[in-house]
Amino acid sequence: MHIGEYLPFWNKLTAAERVQLENAAVLHRFARGAMLHEGGTCTGLIVVVSGRVRAYMLSADGRELTLYRLLERDVCLLSASCALRGLDFDVMLAAETDCEVFVIPADVYQTVMQQSPAVSAFTNELMAARFSDVMWLMDQLLYHKLDCRLAAFLIEERGLGDSDTLHLTHERIAAYLGSAREVVTRLLKYFQSEGLVKLGRGSVTLLDEDRLRALAGDSLR
């Protein structure tokens, strides 16, 4: 595999710029659950080759809130925030599955970005897209009920795993949604009483996807 396969602006770079990125990019492998990046550090630009990565924030009391997921060929700028002027955003990145990622040091990416209009444009577009993701999440937190968000989360997880049975604990679901485990457990038990899901030890099986979709409404992307 080659870093150029995963960067959409590769063909617009000069030969010298390509060499800079080729020499700097390092392929890393992470096991499920491993931390790729922690807030307050400057890991560098992360490009997902395979697997799935979760980007999340931690509240002052240690509660997690998922911002978005990174899938194959997705790029994370926030792990290289030190290279982006005016961006001060502590985000955590964890491997949801075994994954492979390229890491480009922040200083190298910053140098190429200053040289290349194509890289600068890509950076601005990606920053805007991530800002839109976060604003959508804030709208969900402020104006949408947790039961709708939970239904949407279950549907989205079913799509990612391609299975009606999700191997997730209530605590893990609460971490994704930025809620408390007790609240999520209460809602899941209600969903089960309504015939929407079946609960097992460390698992949730979807029984009625159509009704879950209806409940999710515009909380489902």
Side-chain angles (χ1 to χ4, degrees):
M1 64 189 71
H2 185 272
I3 183 62
E5 300 173 36
Y6 300 90
L7 297 175
F9 50 74
W10 187 257
N11 291 334
K12 297 179 182 179
L13 298 177
T14 66
E17 290 163 351
R18 291 180 185 178
V19 170
Q20 281 181 285
L21 293 178
E22 283 176 329
N23 290 341
V26 178
L27 184 67
H28 294 270
R29 293 177 174 85
F30 294 91
R32 178 182 178 182
M35 294 299 300
L36 282 69
H37 171 79
E38 299 190 42
T41 62
C42 196
T43 302
L45 192 82
I46 290 179
V47 184
V48 180
V49 175
S50 64
R52 192 166 73 240
V53 176
R54 181 171 71 104
Y56 66 95
M57 294 181 66
L58 280 177
S59 66
D61 62 358
R63 184 174 296 179
E64 298 178 9
L65 177 62
T66 299
L67 300 175
Y68 50 82
R69 264 73 169 270
L70 297 166
L71 307 178
E72 183 179 334
R73 296 185 178 275
D74 281 341
V75 176
C76 185
L77 283 172
L78 297 181
S79 54
S81 59
C82 59
L84 305 172
R85 184 181 302 171
L87 185 61
D88 184 12
F89 202 88
D90 282 347
V91 66
M92 316 285 280
L93 297 178
E96 279 196 328
T97 65
D98 292 349
C99 62
E100 294 179 306
V101 303
F102 276 114
V103 178
I104 301 173
D107 58 338
V108 175
Y109 185 77
Q110 183 180 40
T111 298
V112 175
M113 180 175 64
Q114 291 171 344
Q115 296 169 348
S116 170
V119 177
S120 180
F122 168 80
T123 302
N124 290 335
E125 290 172 5
L126 189 54
M127 285 178 62
R130 291 303 179 216
F131 180 72
S132 177
D133 288 337
V134 173
M135 290 304 295
W136 181 86
L137 177 60
M138 293 302 104
D139 177 77
Q140 291 294 310
L141 290 170
L142 291 171
Y143 303 115
H144 292 73
K145 294 168 60 179
L146 185 59
D147 58 348
C148 300
R149 293 173 50 223
L150 175 57
F153 171 78
L154 296 175
I155 294 294
E156 290 167 1
E157 285 295 305
R158 188 250 177 265
L160 287 172
D162 196 28
S163 172
D164 289 332
T165 298
L166 313 177
H167 296 286
L168 290 167
T169 64
H170 298 187
E171 185 175 5
R172 200 73 230 131
I173 295 171
Y176 284 117
L177 296 175
S179 183
R181 180 186 59 78
E182 295 80 4
V183 176
V184 167
T185 295
R186 187 165 61 248
L187 282 174
L188 285 172
K189 286 182 177 178
Y190 170 72
F191 282 9
Q192 180 170 250
S193 71
E194 291 292 305
L196 300 175
V197 302
K198 179 182 178 182
L199 304 181
R201 181 179 291 275
S203 69
V204 180
T205 300
L206 278 58
L207 300 179
D208 196 329
E209 185 174 337
D210 290 340
R211 287 173 62 203
L212 283 169
R213 285 184 178 278
L215 176 59
D218 59 4
S219 290
L220 188 65
R221 285 192 162 189

